[in-house]
């Protein structure tokens, strides 16, 4: 409750002193904020563009597994059942790429 009263007092005092001062402050601060955002956006996009998470070779292994799945030749682990899910085919491809030593991020935990 104390913070609400304080904000009400500030807004009423701003009206008394003049609206021109407060509006010029807002526009100046808005300009500064937008300039900060654009420079930070440039920095983050530069980092993302130069960094590659998966190697092209890892992409190739996923591609071959997807083709095998579409043909109906891809089988899963011990059970040997046909893989019908795209997600499962991708997971198998990435797993094979990891075993081959390709650049692939480590697995995320299930929980």
């Amino acid at each position: 409750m104390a913070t609400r009263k304080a904000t009400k007092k500030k807004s009423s005092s701003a009206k008394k002193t003049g609206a021109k001062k407060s509006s010029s402050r807002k526009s100046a601060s808005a300009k500064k904020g937008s300039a900060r955002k654009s420079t930070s956006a440039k920095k983050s996009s530069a980092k993302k563009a130069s960094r590659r998470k998966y190697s092209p070779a890892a992409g190739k292994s996923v591609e071959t597994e997807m083709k095998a799945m579409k043909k109906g030749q891809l089988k899963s682990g011990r059970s040997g059942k046909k893989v019908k899910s795209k997600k499962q085919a991708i997971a198998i491809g990435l797993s094979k790429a990891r075993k081959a030593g390709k650049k692939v991020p480590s697995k995320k935990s299930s929980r």
Side-chain angles (χ1 to χ4, degrees):
M1 287 296 241
T3 56
R4 288 184 183 174
K5 289 180 182 178
T7 55
K8 286 181 182 179
K9 288 179 182 177
K10 287 181 182 178
S11 62
S12 63
S13 63
K15 289 178 184 176
K16 290 177 184 176
T17 56
K20 289 185 179 180
K21 289 181 181 178
S22 63
S23 64
S24 63
R25 288 180 188 166
K26 287 181 182 177
S27 63
S29 64
K31 289 178 184 177
K32 287 179 184 177
S34 62
R36 289 179 189 160
K37 288 179 183 177
S38 63
T39 55
S40 64
K42 288 179 184 176
K43 289 179 184 177
S44 63
S45 64
K47 287 182 182 178
K48 289 180 183 177
S50 64
R51 190 173 176 195
R52 187 178 187 125
K53 287 187 177 182
Y54 297 88
S55 66
K60 285 279 187 185
S61 66
V62 171
E63 186 179 343
T64 56
E65 298 304 319
M66 287 294 288
K67 285 181 181 177
M69 188 230 10
K70 287 179 182 178
K71 287 182 181 178
Q73 297 173 345
L74 186 61
K75 310 273 183 175
S76 67
R78 287 181 168 177
S79 64
K81 292 182 179 178
K82 281 187 182 178
V83 173
K84 296 178 183 176
S85 169
K86 288 180 184 178
K87 284 185 178 183
Q88 193 174 1
I90 292 167
I92 292 168
L94 291 175
S95 177
K96 287 185 179 180
R98 277 190 196 96
K99 287 177 184 175
K102 310 295 184 211
K103 182 183 175 190
V104 182
S106 59
K107 281 185 176 180
K108 291 183 181 178
S109 62
S110 61
R111 289 188 189 218

